[in-house]
Amino acid sequence: MAFDWLELVLTAHREFGSRLTLVDDWNAPTPDSDWHVEHLVRHVIEEQQWVPPLLAGLTVGEATPDIVPVGDDLWTEWQKYSEAAIAAWKSTDLSARVHLSYGTVDMEPYLRQQTSDVTIHSWDLGRAVGAKDPLDPTLVEAVWSDLDGQRDMLAESGLFAEPVEIPDDSTLQDKLIALTGRDPR
């Protein structure tokens, strides 16, 4: 199935933003034992800070001086950098190439990577704030289709913990979450 990754990154941002509005304890734990809510939110915002300069053709080294520390009002910072990232995605030729820290790659894999990152962290944030609503099913299907085909690379990359074993009849969202080393139960 072909997916509209530009539409999906918008959906992922909406998913994250809706869960961000529920935060009332910035020190609450997340499914990632190394982070609490504030760390998780800062990470996602920081990732969005890089999108506009990288999509504009800058290298990581060229963009670094313009990346400023994320402020303390994380809701406002999310809105600012989410909107900037989305505007950059909408105005970029997705057939172009982008300079990342590990090399120059096609734009669409970077878009899929960013969409996946925000999606998985939307689930993390939802768990941390007690949100029970599932992620958008099309978003889950797309991210699953992308990451499931990269199991070996993900295992070697260290980006995620080892996949969690769950029953074969689990939902696709639970399978996605388990693939990224999180226990959906």
Side-chain angles (χ1 to χ4, degrees):
M1 174 180 199
F3 295 101
D4 181 346
W5 286 94
L6 184 56
E7 185 59 38
L8 290 167
V9 77
L10 300 173
T11 302
H13 278 239
R14 282 192 299 272
E15 293 281 349
F16 190 83
S18 71
R19 287 157 176 81
L20 184 57
T21 65
L22 302 174
V23 174
D24 61 7
D25 180 0
W26 293 100
N27 292 310
T30 71
D32 183 332
S33 61
D34 294 335
W35 287 349
H36 57 268
V37 168
E38 181 180 350
H39 289 132
L40 171 73
V41 172
R42 284 185 180 279
H43 162 74
V44 175
I45 294 169
E46 289 166 355
E47 288 296 314
Q48 301 321 300
Q49 287 182 297
W50 288 97
V51 171
L54 296 179
L55 296 189
L58 297 179
T59 64
V60 170
E62 292 166 339
T64 297
D66 295 328
I67 303 297
V68 298
V70 173
D72 292 332
D73 181 351
L74 295 180
W75 173 248
T76 300
E77 294 289 275
W78 166 252
Q79 289 178 307
K80 174 182 173 181
Y81 291 110
S82 172
E83 289 172 10
I86 294 301
W89 284 118
K90 286 182 174 181
S91 65
T92 299
D93 176 3
L94 296 182
S95 67
R97 293 180 56 83
V98 61
H99 307 289
L100 302 179
S101 60
Y102 55 86
T104 302
V105 299
D106 291 335
M107 192 68 67
E108 189 170 322
Y110 179 52
L111 174 57
R112 291 192 317 260
Q113 175 190 39
Q114 285 294 309
T115 303
S116 297
D117 188 59
V118 176
T119 299
I120 299 303
H121 291 318
S122 293
W123 183 86
D124 290 338
L125 185 57
R127 276 296 166 102
V129 300
K132 301 294 183 201
D133 53 325
L135 296 167
D136 178 271
T138 303
L139 183 61
V140 168
E141 184 181 358
V143 173
W144 168 259
S145 72
D146 190 49
L147 294 184
D148 186 45
Q150 300 178 52
R151 283 178 179 268
D152 294 338
M153 184 280 296
L154 291 174
E156 293 172 9
S157 73
L159 291 173
F160 301 117
E162 289 293 318
V164 173
E165 292 292 326
I166 59 172
D168 290 339
D169 63 348
S170 297
T171 67
L172 189 59
Q173 177 173 304
D174 286 355
K175 289 177 182 179
L176 171 64
I177 297 307
L179 176 63
T180 64
R182 292 150 170 85
D183 192 337
R185 299 166 286 192

